[in-house]
Amino acid sequence: MLCILILVFWVANSTFARGDHNPNYSCDFGDAPTVTQITEPIDHSETPSWDGRRDMLYYVDVHTGRVLSYNYDTGKVHSITLGSGSIGPVVQTKNKDVLLVGFNRSIVAVEWDGKNNMSKKTVLTQVSDRFPDSHFNDGKTDKNGRLWWGTMGLTPDIQNQGALYKITSQNLNKPDVVISPVNVSNGLAWNKANDKFYYINFPARKIFAYDFNLEKGEISNQKVVFDLEDHKQLSGKPDGMTIDIEDNLWIALFGGGSVIKVNPTTGQLLNKIAIPAQYVTDTMFGGPNLDILFVTTFKYTLTDEQKKQQPAAGALFAVKILKTKGRPVFEAFRKCEMRKISWFHCNYHQIK
Ligand SMILES: *[C@@H]1O[C@H](CO)[C@@H](O)[C@H](O)[C@H]1NC(C)=O
Ligand SMILES: *[C@@H]1O[C@H](CO)[C@@H](O)[C@H](O)[C@H]1NC(C)=O
Ligand SMILES: *[C@@H]1O[C@H](CO)[C@@H](O)[C@H](O)[C@H]1NC(C)=O
Ligand SMILES: *[C@@H]1O[C@H](CO)[C@@H](O)[C@H](O)[C@H]1NC(C)=O
């Protein structure tokens, strides 16, 4: 059954992709990676974040203001709507009932158990007053609980209206600007030692690395560690990414119908997994063993013809048998929590 699904996906994929998918897709169980569609398609699934406390993957539908949860145990998807605007990222906090969500240029704390109605929401801060039409795009939490969240202009082709911010429970009133300007702030990851920070400035076909000082929360010494221009067979542009326990990056190729695995230390391209959707938006390891690569995709701007050719575009996919796994994501604003005040209370109090 699985084998047939994979074949169907691969055949569907090969009808629209421009060229470079690996045709050696094997049905050899236990060996080759498998790619499975696990949800119904939505317009633009993005910024997946795995929460092992609930066996749940949170993600968003960027243009409909929805935060979604995929329950790994039941396969069910639930959602809440924050309003009309651009949504994402979504990250978890020390309190498993409180998520932080990007809504336009604001960070909103949302009380939600991933299933029932949202019980409360509070705006914690707003950034980028200079660019009123800009909005958050991607963001992650570092080991010390700081948010590294970045913005973009109204659409991806609007240039130089984005920035990467560093947000802590102390600087909510005026978050630090870390990189500015950028086009579309994207694709963040830290290595295991927490001395490297990886970053994508979409639509540049490059992966950047910085030295990372965890104690100070500072980055320096920007370098290009992988340039898609050196791999002409790779189409598309790097979008979101995640990192595995061996510190290799898993990068979504928007327009490239695939996820690539790259060693950022040697610059080697290690693997390429075809996904049956041309626009692949982001990746995240999850599942009870953190060994499933969840992949989000997009159908928002597809023509009717393209939607017919790639009916699964917009769905969430699970890639298994990758022979590696990820690390759990960090929870936001931990220091505040460590003062024994409930997380929500703590931040709510600070913005009063
Ligand atoms: C597919 O497998 C054949 C035989 O092992 C190999 O020669 C070829 O390069 C492979 N193709 C790709 C795209 O990896
Ligand atoms: C959730 O919200 C809907 C719509 O506002 C409402 O009809 C329903 O009763 C609510 N459910 C719970 C459990 O509060
Ligand atoms: C979000 O931003 C868009 C673009 O600037 C705007 O049209 C929309 O009204 C905003 N939504 C809210 C709730 O402010
Ligand atoms: C934004 O994109 C344009 C076109 O790709 C590029 O020339 C420019 O350098 C980019 N800006 C930044 C800040 O990266």
Side-chain angles (χ1 to χ4, degrees):
M1 178 58 187
L2 204 52
C3 178
I4 291 166
L5 275 180
I6 295 161
L7 273 178
V8 167
F9 283 154
W10 185 76
V11 169
N13 198 22
S14 61
T15 57
F16 67 84
R18 281 185 303 268
D20 53 13
H21 294 278
N22 189 341
N24 296 345
Y25 228 171
S26 151
C27 285
D28 194 1
F29 291 121
D31 197 15
T34 62
V35 179
T36 312
Q37 179 187 348
I38 55 171
T39 66
E40 290 300 312
I42 56 176
D43 281 344
H44 183 171
S45 61
E46 266 280 12
T47 58
S49 188
W50 174 258
D51 192 337
R53 294 168 298 186
R54 284 218 161 93
D55 275 358
M56 205 169 258
L57 189 82
Y58 294 103
Y59 59 110
V60 300
D61 189 9
V62 174
H63 312 280
T64 64
R66 284 190 305 156
V67 181
L68 300 97
S69 68
Y70 168 79
N71 184 318
Y72 178 82
D73 301 315
T74 64
K76 287 215 167 76
V77 173
H78 291 94
S79 71
I80 49 171
T81 302
L82 263 67
S84 140
S86 186
I87 197 147
V90 51
V91 304
Q92 53 258 42
T93 67
K94 197 81 179 163
N95 180 339
K96 71 179 188 317
D97 288 331
V98 178
L99 301 173
L100 300 185
V101 182
F103 181 66
N104 278 357
R105 291 179 293 120
S106 299
I107 298 181
V108 184
V110 171
E111 259 189 40
W112 187 40
D113 63 3
K115 185 172 180 190
N116 298 297
N117 290 354
M118 155 173 65
S119 45
K120 192 172 177 183
K121 63 176 184 180
T122 308
V123 174
L124 298 185
T125 187
Q126 182 177 282
V127 299
S128 287
D129 291 338
R130 267 181 72 202
F131 301 115
D133 287 338
S134 67
H135 57 83
F136 278 115
N137 182 59
D138 203 347
K140 302 258 168 77
T141 308
D142 77 14
K143 192 183 178 201
N144 282 10
R146 307 172 187 105
L147 305 181
W148 295 69
W149 285 22
T151 58
M152 61 181 278
L154 187 59
T155 59
D157 48 300
I158 291 176
Q159 291 173 17
N160 301 328
Q161 292 201 0
L164 177 67
Y165 292 89
K166 179 178 70 183
I167 303 142
T168 68
S169 50
Q170 322 302 316
N171 77 1
L172 278 174
N173 291 329
K174 201 176 183 306
D176 294 356
V177 177
V178 184
I179 306 176
S180 169
V182 296
N183 286 326
V184 178
S185 185
N186 235 325
L188 306 74
W190 290 267
N191 66 347
K192 186 174 183 198
N194 282 293
D195 56 10
K196 293 280 179 213
F197 171 68
Y198 300 107
Y199 186 67
I200 288 168
N201 176 12
F202 185 96
R205 288 187 11 114
K206 293 173 173 45
I207 312 299
F208 297 98
Y210 294 79
D211 294 332
F212 182 64
N213 181 321
L214 174 65
E215 215 43 55
K216 295 184 174 156
E218 287 172 2
I219 57 172
S220 57
N221 193 19
Q222 185 205 62
K223 280 195 306 196
V224 173
V225 287
F226 188 79
D227 190 339
L228 272 77
E229 295 306 320
D230 299 336
H231 301 264
K232 293 289 185 198
Q233 82 279 15
L234 295 178
S235 55
K237 292 160 187 161
D239 194 330
M241 67 178 162
T242 193
I243 194 160
D244 66 28
I245 50 168
E246 283 118 18
D247 282 339
N248 293 312
L249 300 171
W250 294 81
I251 305 155
L253 293 187
F254 189 80
S258 60
V259 170
I260 52 172
K261 177 184 184 183
V262 165
N263 179 330
T265 308
T266 62
Q268 268 177 302
L269 174 64
L270 300 176
N271 202 350
K272 180 180 166 193
I273 313 281
I275 304 293
Q278 189 178 356
Y279 295 95
V280 183
T281 56
D282 207 351
T283 62
M284 161 86 15
F285 278 102
N289 302 314
L290 290 170
D291 59 353
I292 301 170
L293 187 72
F294 291 105
V295 177
T296 52
T297 63
F298 166 106
K299 67 167 176 169
Y300 186 56
T301 58
L302 295 188
T303 62
D304 288 345
E305 190 56 32
Q306 286 173 314
K307 282 178 190 164
K308 250 182 244 160
Q309 288 164 348
Q310 36 180 321
L316 192 59
F317 293 88
V319 186
K320 295 185 183 171
I321 322 178
L322 287 172
K323 301 190 180 87
T324 186
K325 55 197 258 183
R327 290 186 291 270
V329 302
F330 300 112
E331 292 150 6
F333 295 166
R334 298 169 68 172
K335 283 199 170 140
C336 186
E337 177 65 19
M338 273 145 57
R339 281 194 248 120
K340 298 283 176 212
I341 312 166
S342 97
W343 179 86
F344 198 77
H345 217 98
C346 169
N347 290 287
Y348 191 72
H349 182 69
Q350 280 180 6
I351 58 164
K352 285 264 174 184

